[in-house]
Structures are given as C-alpha cells and as structure tokens.
Amino acid sequence: MTQGCAAPAQTAHIPATVDLAKEAVIQGTVVRGETPVAGAYARLLDSTGEFTGEVVTSDEGIFRFFAAPGDWTVRVLAPGGVSVDASVTAEIGMVAALEVSI
C-alpha cells in the first residue's frame, strides 16, 4: 500500500534493499501517551525550515525519511490541530530514531 505522495508503506523494519552504509535514515514513532498515532502527517524540514517531504504514519505510528546528512526538523501534524516539532541529526550509516509525543 502506498501513502502520501507515492511513499512506501511505513513499517518498523528497514527494507532489505536499503544499504545503510550509503544512506542516512530518520525513523520514528508518533505516540499519544503510550498509544501509537496512525494517520498523522510527518513533515521533514531542512535546517532553514524549508519543506522537504511528507509521509503519513502507519497504523503503528511509524514514519521514515531518507535524508542527506545534517540537521533536520520533523514536524508532526495530527488531528485536533496538533503540531509538534522534533530536531534530529541524520548521518550516513545510521538510523536516527526518535519518538514524537503529541
């Protein structure tokens, strides 16, 4: 199933076709309390605040971006007018993991 702008389904496992030695990955979960939030929008903003991409969280509240190395902001937009920003640094060969509480 595709979501957003032809983005692949968001799952907890990195696809086998991804070579982490060549990729910088930002992956996280959106939660309300301890409950995953499905259907929230996770936006990736660069260090200047410019919009770079967007995905919809999975049923488990998971999102993932493949990004250039550097500092990024993930902005989560959820029902009820919720907007939360989380800062993260992406590095080649690493999965930058974060949990965004709304």
Side-chain angles (χ1 to χ4, degrees):
M1 173 167 72
T2 57
Q3 301 174 0
C5 296
Q10 304 297 298
T11 63
H13 302 289
I14 303 287
T17 56
V18 174
D19 182 356
L20 280 179
K22 298 178 183 177
E23 299 280 356
V25 178
I26 298 169
Q27 179 171 299
T29 306
V30 178
V31 295
R32 180 175 283 126
E34 293 185 23
T35 304
V37 178
Y41 291 90
R43 290 185 176 169
L44 188 64
L45 309 175
D46 69 13
S47 61
T48 68
E50 288 294 315
F51 174 87
T52 303
E54 180 176 83
V55 295
V56 177
T57 59
S58 70
D59 290 342
E60 296 81 25
I62 297 167
F63 63 87
R64 180 182 306 116
F65 295 103
F66 296 91
D71 295 325
W72 296 89
T73 298
V74 174
R75 176 169 292 153
V76 173
L77 304 170
V82 175
S83 178
V84 175
D85 288 357
S87 298
V88 64
T89 299
E91 297 179 37
I92 297 276
M94 302 290 291
V95 176
L98 62 129
E99 181 176 280
V100 180
S101 296
I102 62 169

